[in-house]
Amino acid sequence: MRKSLQAFFLIMGRASVFWLGALGVFILSLLVTGLAEPDRTFIEHYADSVFVAAFAFPAGAGLLAGAVIQEFQHTTFATFLPAIRFRLATGFMVTGLLVSLVVVGLIATISSTPHDLAVLFAVGVGAYCLGGILIDPLSGWMTSLNVTLVLAVILSSHQLDLIAGEHPWPTFMMSIGVAAFSVSRLFARATFRRKPFRVTAPLPGRFSLEKTHQYRRHKMIQGGPVKSGWLTGYLGQNMWLWTRAAIHETYGAHVLKTFLKAVARAWPLVPLFLIYAWEDKGEMRFSEALAKSLNDALFRSPFQPQFGEHGGPYPMVMIVIAVAGILTALLSPVALGGALSYPLSRFQRATVQFRGGLADTAILLLIASPCLLAIGHLAGWFVGYEIRFDFMPFFLRVLLLTLVLMPLGYWGRVQLQEATWRKTENKLVGLILGICGFVVLVGFLTLVVTQLFTSPIMELGVLSIAVLVSRMIYWRSLVSFYTTADLA
Amino acid sequence: MNPVLEANGLTKRFDRVTALENISFKVSGPTIVGLLGKNGCGKTTLIRQLMGLHLPSEGSVSTLGRPGAELGHDELASIGYVPQEIRLLDWMTVGQHIHYVANFYPRWDGEREQRLLDELEIDTEALVGTLSSGNLQKLAIVLAVCHHPQLLVLDEPVSDLDPIVRRKLLELLLELMRDDAATIVVSSHVLRDVEKVVDRVICLDRGRLVTDAALDELKELYAEWLVVSDNGRLPEEFSESFLIAQQGNGREARLLVKDASTELASFSSTHSVSVSVRPLNLEEIFPVLIGEQL
């Protein structure tokens, strides 16, 4: 037993697992406490906070443990260790039982509503084990089915809670059945056999960047050859062509295909949505309530009415634009480098890097922002709202401020890829803090700018100049960096 | 005595590609077998079959007396494996990683571990993710041999090692065979190294087994004859059946011959030539085995 636990906990005991766990607990706590507050969302008609807590916390723990085990299975030595399956399964199960016990204990302490704790415990164990196979790096279809199942459980948790109350033993047995199936799948000999030598995306950590590159290259190779006529010719000194080549190298030739494949894999969500779409709980149908919530959150929920005359802050719009901005910057293509040697000077690499950022910005301005507006309005139209534009000044203000600050994200990306932050021990924490910091900064500056300007023309002019100045500073820094630093 | 490795009519297909076709052999230890072949000929696929990672499309394969797919605790505890592509736990230090793996083996030899770490100059405090490919290969070798494996399978184990470490590794293989009575399978393109240790050669070409023989037999079988004419003129072409390939300039010729030791005297007298025989090394025999003569 000691050796089994040791085998499991030695691969769990690292900083990234701790931070991911802490992040998961934080998010799930928000979800459960949100559900526990009455009349805040329409979801409360569907979800029972106690049942969701009993299900989601163990499922989250199982997801994390399963991810670590699956990462381990993808090494080239794990399969050949004697008794590895038994030892890991023992550690995994002991952890699952403990987590479920703690969650049920907390529910019994905090919740005043009566529940059969033994059933909730079994639900927790089942959820934990299901979490272990929730994401299968080698089977996108299995992952989408599992995610749909989890969503279905959360959306049906109110009913499931009632069923569990009326039929405790069948619920108990069903949960144990799910647990047995999941464990047998996660630790099957065939699972261990097929995982080595398959490249997968790693858990966040010091070496995750290199591994993620390997994974993405692997996926690109899997996509097969592509007819790219422009790539077969000599690119010469045309830096826009080299920028295109950098985008090609970063994302491969199958971006659209990969995106469509990911969308197609989400098909189980369609029947799930259709099942709920016409269900009427309270004042409106599920689909209408969903659309109304989206439109309200984006365009109809001014946070502080006192800013109204200047276009009040709409927190969701602000968060969505700021997050889209920082993610766009962080995911931007990096100047050509890595394994291949290109006939580009350091200055030219800086140019390619800078222009890649311009391409991203164009996507954010011309595609992402109009799409956000269109989706929000479409949702409003679906529930009979009139299209309104009073939030537009605020929308533009946030967008421009995001553009002003985006070079911070680009700079971080370059540092992460090329130099100082490359060997950062815990990139996940840095990434989360960086994204949160960016959103807070955009929010803070939005409030300042809202108070500062009374003339919209003046505001537009100043912010546009700020966008240009920030890009110029970024360009100068980039050239200085690329011409003087040790590159990866 | 049960064979350590056995394949009977082993065929492996991936979709429409046949990676291995009707492979049959037996290996009984202790011995060192060299698994040779060009890139993409099926060596790694064969090794993965032996290790139970891939399952046969047809035929069967057994390792330590059990089908590859059914290798259990006892067999795995007696097998060491160094794959061509090595992926370990990057975030552990070398020392932690060795400790982790050692826990799984009942016969882990701490002394051998320490000796190898010293000889191969591996820093136990270094993070595995920071190791160079050569040091990663050394670590994988340490992980594969310290539990006294009865069967050791090495897939391109020396590709990233410097000549000094390569020599040490070859000495280690001989020690393993001597002390542990181990059976060792080495797949490698560095034939000069392989030749120093292997007893037997299994050669694959395009998924088919083309040679399974003792190295000494191969060396006796193939040779190069350096032929000089006694009267100043050689025929344009020799037509003897034991000839595999020939190159010449009219006065001198190099002939690649197979199983021709008894023919030497009659060949000399028939053509009025002087012949000096040069034995071939494995690097020279290899192209012949896969049908690509000089």
Side-chain angles (χ1 to χ4, degrees):
Chain A
M1 183 63 136
R2 189 182 64 81
K3 282 192 170 180
S4 298
L5 295 179
Q6 199 177 27
F8 178 70
F9 283 111
L10 278 176
I11 58 169
M12 291 290 286
R14 52 182 158 145
S16 55
V17 173
F18 172 79
W19 288 113
L20 279 171
L23 182 68
V25 168
F26 175 69
I27 292 171
L28 291 176
S29 300
L30 284 182
L31 172 73
V32 171
T33 48
L35 289 174
E37 284 188 38
D39 302 327
R40 287 291 298 272
T41 66
F42 74 95
I43 294 289
E44 71 179 270
H45 295 299
Y46 298 86
D48 177 84
S49 61
V50 171
F51 194 89
V52 168
F55 179 84
F57 281 103
L63 174 67
L64 187 56
V68 173
I69 286 170
Q70 294 201 46
E71 188 189 51
F72 181 71
Q73 287 171 332
H74 281 277
T75 63
T76 49
F77 73 99
T79 307
F80 309 105
L81 294 175
I84 183 67
R85 295 188 300 131
F86 173 76
R87 288 195 191 183
L88 284 187
T90 307
F92 179 79
M93 280 313 300
V94 167
T95 308
L97 294 173
L98 285 175
V99 167
S100 304
L101 207 59
V102 168
V103 170
V104 168
L106 287 173
I107 288 173
T109 311
I110 296 168
S111 171
S112 54
T113 50
H115 281 89
D116 189 330
L117 295 180
V119 173
L120 286 186
F121 175 72
V123 167
V125 173
Y128 173 84
C129 297
L130 180 66
I133 58 165
L134 191 62
I135 294 174
D136 184 345
L138 297 185
S139 173
W141 296 109
M142 185 53 78
T143 299
S144 63
L145 273 173
N146 290 340
V147 169
T148 307
L149 180 62
V150 167
L151 275 178
V153 168
I154 290 173
L155 284 175
S156 312
S157 54
H158 195 67
Q159 281 171 315
L160 288 173
D161 190 46
L162 293 175
I163 293 169
E166 285 173 21
H167 309 286
W169 279 109
T171 310
F172 186 93
M173 294 311 292
M174 185 106 154
S175 301
I176 299 303
V178 168
F181 169 78
S182 306
V183 168
S184 66
R185 191 176 159 81
L186 183 61
F187 296 102
R189 197 192 290 262
T191 307
F192 271 81
R193 189 184 299 128
R194 74 193 174 111
K195 299 235 168 178
F197 307 105
R198 301 284 196 95
V199 183
T200 57
L203 286 176
R206 181 168 174 179
F207 304 101
S208 54
L209 203 63
E210 290 86 345
K211 300 285 171 192
T212 305
H213 282 314
Q214 280 180 15
Y215 173 64
R216 278 170 43 190
R217 283 182 191 284
H218 178 74
K219 296 297 278 184
M220 286 182 209
I221 293 164
Q222 277 188 331
V226 65
K227 288 178 183 170
S228 296
W230 65 274
L231 265 179
T232 56
Y234 174 53
L235 300 185
Q237 298 298 304
N238 185 334
M239 287 300 113
W240 282 114
L241 277 182
W242 279 105
T243 305
R244 194 175 165 189
I247 295 170
H248 184 85
E249 183 177 296
T250 307
Y251 295 113
H254 304 283
V255 183
L256 188 63
K257 191 172 150 190
T258 308
F259 175 73
L260 292 175
K261 221 169 161 181
V263 171
R265 276 185 181 157
W267 70 266
L269 291 173
V270 176
L272 179 70
F273 177 76
L274 290 177
I275 289 169
Y276 283 99
W278 282 274
E279 196 173 354
D280 201 344
K281 293 265 180 170
E283 69 273 16
M284 59 178 61
R285 295 197 306 252
F286 179 84
S287 52
E288 288 172 336
L290 203 61
K292 181 177 178 298
S293 297
L294 181 65
N295 188 280
D296 282 352
L298 283 175
F299 305 145
R300 287 173 194 272
S301 302
F303 189 55
Q304 291 169 291
Q306 64 267 34
F307 290 100
E309 59 187 282
H310 306 301
Y314 294 79
M316 272 303 286
V317 164
M318 193 200 75
I319 291 171
V320 169
I321 295 176
V323 168
I326 184 69
L327 289 184
T328 304
L330 290 173
L331 295 173
S332 72
V334 172
L336 298 151
L340 296 170
S341 154
Y342 295 97
L344 286 179
S345 68
R346 283 172 164 248
F347 179 80
Q348 286 173 321
R349 281 181 69 176
T351 310
V352 168
Q353 183 70 50
F354 183 74
R355 291 190 183 181
L358 291 182
D360 287 342
T361 305
I363 290 171
L364 183 68
L365 269 176
L366 302 176
I367 299 175
S369 303
C371 280
L372 175 67
L373 287 173
I375 290 169
H377 283 311
L378 205 63
W381 168 80
F382 184 66
V383 288
Y385 282 161
E386 283 182 19
I387 294 179
R388 50 185 288 229
F389 294 101
D390 53 336
F391 63 91
M392 278 306 286
F394 183 80
F395 184 91
L396 285 174
R397 186 179 300 137
V398 175
L399 189 58
L400 286 170
L401 280 168
T402 300
L403 294 182
V404 170
L405 295 175
M406 267 174 72
L408 291 175
Y410 290 126
W411 186 249
R413 173 86 158 115
V414 172
Q415 292 300 312
L416 202 62
Q417 183 72 26
E418 295 281 10
T420 45
W421 300 345
R422 191 179 173 84
K423 295 293 179 197
T424 305
E425 189 64 46
N426 210 316
K427 294 186 178 76
L428 177 73
V429 178
L431 198 65
I432 291 169
L433 288 179
I435 291 172
C436 292
F438 188 87
V439 174
V440 169
L441 197 56
V442 169
F444 173 71
L445 288 178
T446 305
L447 293 181
V448 170
V449 169
T450 305
Q451 298 280 25
L452 207 59
F453 294 102
T454 48
S455 160
I457 303 293
M458 172 77 93
E459 184 183 349
L460 187 66
V462 170
L463 288 183
S464 301
I465 290 169
V467 171
L468 292 175
V469 170
S470 78
R471 291 282 157 157
M472 279 175 63
I473 295 170
Y474 170 55
W475 164 243
R476 302 282 301 182
S477 313
L478 207 53
V479 170
S480 167
F481 172 77
Y482 266 98
T483 48
T484 56
D486 291 336
L487 301 178
Chain B
M1 189 166 129
N2 281 337
V4 177
L5 297 169
E6 184 172 10
N8 281 314
L10 172 64
T11 298
K12 179 65 182 175
R13 293 187 201 91
F14 297 104
D15 297 326
R16 275 172 288 178
V17 177
T18 302
L20 296 174
E21 191 177 345
N22 198 24
I23 305 276
S24 298
F25 63 83
K26 276 183 193 175
V27 176
S28 300
T31 184
I32 302 182
V33 179
L35 184 57
L36 311 182
K38 289 201 295 185
N39 291 330
C41 71
K43 299 190 296 291
T44 297
T45 305
L46 177 58
I47 284 175
R48 289 182 183 180
Q49 294 277 342
L50 298 172
M51 298 304 299
L53 284 171
H54 290 171
L55 302 182
S57 304
E58 283 172 30
S60 65
V61 61
S62 75
T63 303
L64 296 174
R66 291 193 74 169
E70 294 172 19
L71 295 175
H73 177 279
D74 293 344
E75 293 81 25
L76 290 173
S78 302
I79 295 175
Y81 175 42
V82 178
Q84 187 175 11
E85 176 195 348
I86 299 161
R87 220 172 12 253
L88 304 176
L89 299 171
D90 292 336
W91 46 272
M92 281 188 178
T93 65
V94 168
Q96 286 170 336
H97 207 303
I98 292 174
H99 175 69
Y100 186 83
V101 171
N103 275 327
F104 287 86
Y105 292 98
R107 297 191 305 272
W108 190 265
D109 185 340
E111 277 180 32
R112 178 179 279 180
E113 170 199 320
Q114 194 52 53
R115 183 167 61 83
L116 285 174
L117 287 174
D118 293 341
E119 280 184 14
L120 300 175
E121 296 173 5
I122 305 174
D123 176 9
T124 53
E125 296 302 313
L127 280 174
V128 172
T130 61
L131 296 179
S132 66
S133 55
N135 280 333
L136 199 61
Q137 210 159 33
K138 289 184 208 170
L139 174 58
I141 290 166
V142 172
L143 295 175
V145 301
C146 289
H147 56 284
H148 296 279
Q150 202 186 327
L151 168 67
L152 177 63
V153 180
L154 305 143
D155 194 357
E156 297 289 350
V158 295
S159 55
D160 290 322
L161 301 180
D162 62 59
I164 296 166
V165 177
R166 284 215 303 268
R167 185 170 50 78
K168 285 180 182 170
L169 174 65
L170 298 176
E171 286 167 7
L172 172 70
L173 295 185
L174 291 171
E175 177 196 313
L176 282 171
M177 193 177 70
R178 189 181 61 235
D179 296 352
D180 297 347
T183 297
I184 300 168
V185 177
V186 190
S187 151
S188 177
H189 287 126
V190 189
L191 300 183
R192 283 178 192 212
D193 285 342
V194 172
E195 184 174 5
K196 290 175 191 161
V197 291
V198 300
D199 309 313
R200 178 174 164 188
V201 169
I202 291 179
C203 185
L204 299 179
D205 184 34
R206 280 165 281 191
R208 285 182 299 243
L209 193 151
V210 290
T211 302
D212 178 6
L215 179 62
D216 290 342
E217 276 176 33
L218 289 175
K219 286 189 164 184
E220 281 174 20
L221 199 60
Y222 296 100
E224 185 181 67
W225 286 0
L226 301 171
V227 180
V228 179
S229 170
D230 293 338
N231 53 22
R233 191 79 198 148
L234 289 176
E236 273 191 17
E237 197 173 53
F238 295 103
S239 57
E240 277 75 4
S241 60
F242 55 80
L243 284 174
I244 298 173
Q246 51 187 301
Q247 273 180 348
N249 58 12
R251 289 192 301 110
E252 292 177 352
R254 288 170 62 216
L255 309 180
L256 188 62
V257 299
K258 181 182 179 186
D259 200 12
S261 53
T262 55
E263 311 286 344
L264 185 58
S266 64
F267 180 83
S268 299
S269 60
T270 307
H271 297 289
S272 304
V273 293
S274 305
V275 179
S276 53
V277 178
R278 187 179 72 83
L280 297 179
N281 60 34
L282 188 55
E283 204 162 326
E284 292 165 315
I285 295 172
F286 173 66
V288 181
L289 299 180
I290 59 170
E292 294 188 6
Q293 286 87 3
L294 297 173

